[in-house]
Amino acid sequence: MGLDGGERREDFVLEPVYWDAGTARLLPRLLKNRTRGPVFATHRRPGPGKVVSSWDVCPDSGLARLSYDQARALLDEHTALHGVGTGWDLHEFRHSGLTHLGEQGASLLMLMAKSRHKKAENVRRYFKPSPDAIAELTSLLAPGDTRRGGGT
């Protein structure tokens, strides 16, 4: 049993989360003055008879953690251009950041550290450079490219 009377989670590990400036500016609106509990919470408390772990409920507001399905539906609702089911996918959304970082020159090891993947092949499949990134890379081979030190 944990200190709060709930089950102890042996697999729980505190890891730092790094936010960029834009996200950091949005966090206060998301947290709504909460100082503990889940970051992404629903707008209501769990219903009667709903079994929810103490880890999944804000101890101050009583709001439950947003489920994966709820998050998926919200992301789709707010990004869909052509009706339900046409918006962004959570998994692709998470990994699109890896593509952007890779296009900016982040190494595979840094991408693995950022995404917390343990195997390089698991990160590699999400890194899908844009045609512009491939064209820029190809231009490095152009004769007279001063970035290679072989300028005229």
Side-chain angles (χ1 to χ4, degrees), residues 42 44-53 56-58 61-65:
T42 62
R44 59 184 176 201
R45 295 168 190 250
K50 177 84 173 172
V51 178
V52 181
S53 164
D56 293 329
V57 178
C58 175
S61 68
L63 299 177
R65 179 182 313 277

Side-chain angles (χ1 to χ4, degrees), residues 95-106:
H95 291 288
S96 69
L98 296 178
T99 296
H100 295 300
L101 289 170
E103 287 180 348
Q104 295 299 315

Side-chain angles (χ1 to χ4, degrees), residues 45-145:
R45 295 168 190 250
K50 177 84 173 172
V51 178
V52 181
S53 164
S54 62
W55 286 97
D56 293 329
V57 178
C58 175
D60 299 323
S61 68
L63 299 177
R65 179 182 313 277
L66 194 65
S67 72
Y68 189 89
D69 284 342
Q70 290 168 323
R72 182 177 41 77
L74 285 170
L75 183 62
D76 180 60
E77 176 185 336
H78 292 283
T79 60
L81 298 176
H82 305 291
V84 175
T86 63
W88 294 352
D89 174 84
L90 272 174
H91 193 75
E92 291 172 348
F93 182 61
R94 173 181 180 238
H95 291 288
S96 69
L98 296 178
T99 296
H100 295 300
L101 289 170
E103 287 180 348
Q104 295 299 315
S107 70
L108 182 59
L109 288 175
M110 290 301 285
L111 294 175
M112 288 174 63
K114 174 73 174 159
S115 65
R116 296 187 174 104
H117 282 94
K118 303 294 185 234
K119 297 180 180 177
E121 60 268 17
N122 292 341
V123 176
R124 207 174 285 126
R125 73 173 160 217
Y126 296 112
F127 180 59
K128 298 175 181 147
S130 68
D132 289 341
I134 297 294
E136 183 177 338
L137 178 68
T138 303
S139 75
L140 294 175
L141 300 173
D145 189 337

Side-chain angles (χ1 to χ4, degrees), residues 21-41:
T23 303
R25 283 192 297 274
L26 292 174
L27 276 174
R29 291 193 313 196
L30 180 65
L31 296 175
K32 299 178 183 164
N33 295 319
R34 291 180 292 119
T35 58
R36 56 193 181 147
V39 173
F40 298 100

